[in-house]
Amino acid sequence: MKNFEKIKALVHKNKENIINHWVTAVTSNSSIDKTREFDDCSTILELVLQSIEHDYNNISASQSYSLLEKELHSFASFRALNNFTPTQTANYLLEFKRTIYTFVSDSAREALAEEFIDFNNLIDDLAVLTFQIYTDAREETIVSQAYALEHDTPIVKISQSLLLMPLMGIIDTARAQKIIESLLDAVVENQAEIAILDMTAVATFDTHVANNILKTISAAKMVGTKVILSGISPNAAMTIVKLGVDLSQVETFNTLENAISHANERDGLSLREAS
Amino acid sequence: MKKIPILYLNSILIASIQTELTDEEVLSFQSELLKKNNKLMAKGVIIDVSTLDVIDSYMAKVLGDLTTMVKLQGSAFLLCGVKPAVSSTLVDMGMMLTKIDTFLSLEKAFNFLTSNDRKFQ
């Protein structure tokens, strides 16, 4: 029969002190909100206490242990999503162990040794579990960000021969490549004669962005589509001129509305010509 | 040596390059096209590359040259059906075929020439 009678008694006796000590230890070298940590520590301590009511060998089957797992789950995911470092997260439960050790008096050390081995293993398991959850949550974030990056270049079909591609955020080389590819594919698939690149939401405009946009325009021209730009902000206009980027070959419009009506006019002309 | 058929329709010359050509084949195609255009005095020449997966730098140069040559003969030169991948590769290589009038499909290129026709009549 393996149980944790002595550790339980020890923790019960020093509960307040252990929690305070623990919170201080985990918040010592960071600017984490103490009240939140205090709540987390108390909950976990409480659940660990409930779990060690059970015999060591069937702890993992007990209900309080699954409650503990659940709590660690939300605890670790929260940490992963709020930019806590891996060290901070992993140290959390290890710090708990260390804290309890400090409350063991020298004379009791001998008597507690056997219980502590099992307790140690239990907490280690919990620490590993916590870290696993933390990594899983991180992984999930990365996957969803990759998805967002993949799908952040929507293409809207406005009419038979007109496509709109609103550009957003920062356009680096990887994204520019993505933009070129998806625009060209869409243009050929829809047989669109005109594509509008709307730059209203482009955050920064530098030589790289300008070059990438020029590339997109030439590539589109080569498959037979005319690209027009709309929504270049005053700042972007100034940068373009300062950088000496030549956009004279490209038709530009102040608003998306004007670009669309111009495109429609052209469209009407070419339809009339064709019939 | 592969020979590319050059068709004559509504006073427009149409040729479709469907597979990659060697440098000699490209040159013989070029001279044949120019001879035919000289004989038939076409309104325009349309080159279709819609099944071509690769346009190398030499091919790109020849197409650029052809534009100038055909224009010197007094005809229009149109390219159609450039694949997206081909286009982005050419841009990455810095070969901008900006002198060439490009169209999405043979139909669009053909319509462009015939409607231009109507305007001049």
Side-chain angles (χ1 to χ4, degrees), chain A residues 150 153-155 163 165 175-189:
Chain A
E150 191 91 345
T153 47
I155 292 177
L163 289 183
M165 189 175 199
R175 279 199 55 196
Q177 197 55 40
K178 182 90 190 73
I179 291 171
I180 294 182
E181 273 171 32
S182 47
L183 182 72
L184 291 184
D185 284 339
V187 149
V188 170
E189 193 184 322

Side-chain angles (χ1 to χ4, degrees), chain A residues 191-192 215 219 221-223, chain B residues 82 87 92 98 102 104 108 118:
Chain A
Q191 295 281 300
K215 261 186 172 183
K221 189 186 174 291
M222 248 185 270
V223 295
Chain B
V82 180
S87 166
D92 283 338
T98 35
T102 333
L104 283 159
K108 286 189 192 217
R118 202 163 290 173

Side-chain angles (χ1 to χ4, degrees), chain A residues 178-217:
Chain A
K178 182 90 190 73
I179 291 171
I180 294 182
E181 273 171 32
S182 47
L183 182 72
L184 291 184
D185 284 339
V187 149
V188 170
E189 193 184 322
N190 291 294
Q191 295 281 300
E193 280 167 31
I194 304 175
I196 302 175
L197 284 183
D198 183 61
M199 320 264 298
T200 317
V202 173
T204 50
F205 205 101
D206 54 20
T207 11
H208 275 292
V209 180
N211 270 336
N212 288 329
I213 285 174
L214 280 176
K215 261 186 172 183
T216 315
I217 292 170

Side-chain angles (χ1 to χ4, degrees), chain A residues 29-234:
Chain A
N29 46 6
S30 59
S31 54
I32 316 168
D33 175 23
K34 272 209 177 170
T35 47
R36 208 202 135 82
E37 294 304 307
F38 192 82
D39 290 345
D40 276 347
C41 287
S42 323
T43 323
I44 292 176
L45 180 82
E46 214 46 64
L47 286 166
V48 169
L49 272 182
Q50 280 172 27
S51 297
I52 58 176
E53 290 286 338
H54 301 267
D55 189 78
Y56 175 67
N57 290 323
N58 33 24
I59 273 188
S60 51
S62 69
Q63 204 193 342
S64 34
Y65 187 76
S66 60
L67 277 178
L68 178 59
E69 275 183 333
K70 215 180 251 174
E71 173 60 25
L72 287 179
H73 212 285
S74 68
F75 163 82
S77 326
F78 174 81
R79 252 135 239 276
L81 295 179
N82 288 278
N83 295 324
F84 283 70
T85 65
T87 319
Q88 278 175 329
T89 313
N91 262 341
Y92 211 82
L93 280 162
L94 302 178
E95 208 57 68
F96 175 51
K97 222 163 59 176
R98 266 177 234 140
T99 308
I100 292 180
Y101 292 154
T102 58
F103 285 90
V104 181
S105 59
D106 285 342
S107 54
R109 208 155 276 210
E110 199 76 18
L112 277 169
E114 207 178 318
E115 275 188 26
F116 256 120
I117 292 175
D118 289 337
F119 186 71
N120 221 339
N121 289 338
L122 175 72
I123 299 295
D124 283 350
D125 286 348
L126 292 178
V128 170
L129 177 73
T130 312
F131 202 62
Q132 180 64 46
I133 298 166
Y134 174 85
T135 335
D136 287 351
R138 278 256 158 139
E139 209 73 35
E140 225 169 87
T141 317
I142 293 168
V143 169
S144 68
Q145 280 171 350
Y147 180 86
L149 198 63
E150 191 91 345
H151 295 264
D152 65 345
T153 47
I155 292 177
V156 188
K157 186 169 180 173
I158 290 180
S159 72
Q160 196 62 40
S161 59
L162 178 58
L163 289 183
L164 165 67
M165 189 175 199
L167 298 181
M168 267 164 264
I170 295 158
I171 305 170
D172 54 18
T173 318
R175 279 199 55 196
Q177 197 55 40
K178 182 90 190 73
I179 291 171
I180 294 182
E181 273 171 32
S182 47
L183 182 72
L184 291 184
D185 284 339
V187 149
V188 170
E189 193 184 322
N190 291 294
Q191 295 281 300
E193 280 167 31
I194 304 175
I196 302 175
L197 284 183
D198 183 61
M199 320 264 298
T200 317
V202 173
T204 50
F205 205 101
D206 54 20
T207 11
H208 275 292
V209 180
N211 270 336
N212 288 329
I213 285 174
L214 280 176
K215 261 186 172 183
T216 315
I217 292 170
S218 338
K221 189 186 174 291
M222 248 185 270
V223 295
T225 296
K226 185 185 166 77
V227 174
I228 54 189
L229 296 178
S230 74
I232 293 179
S233 66

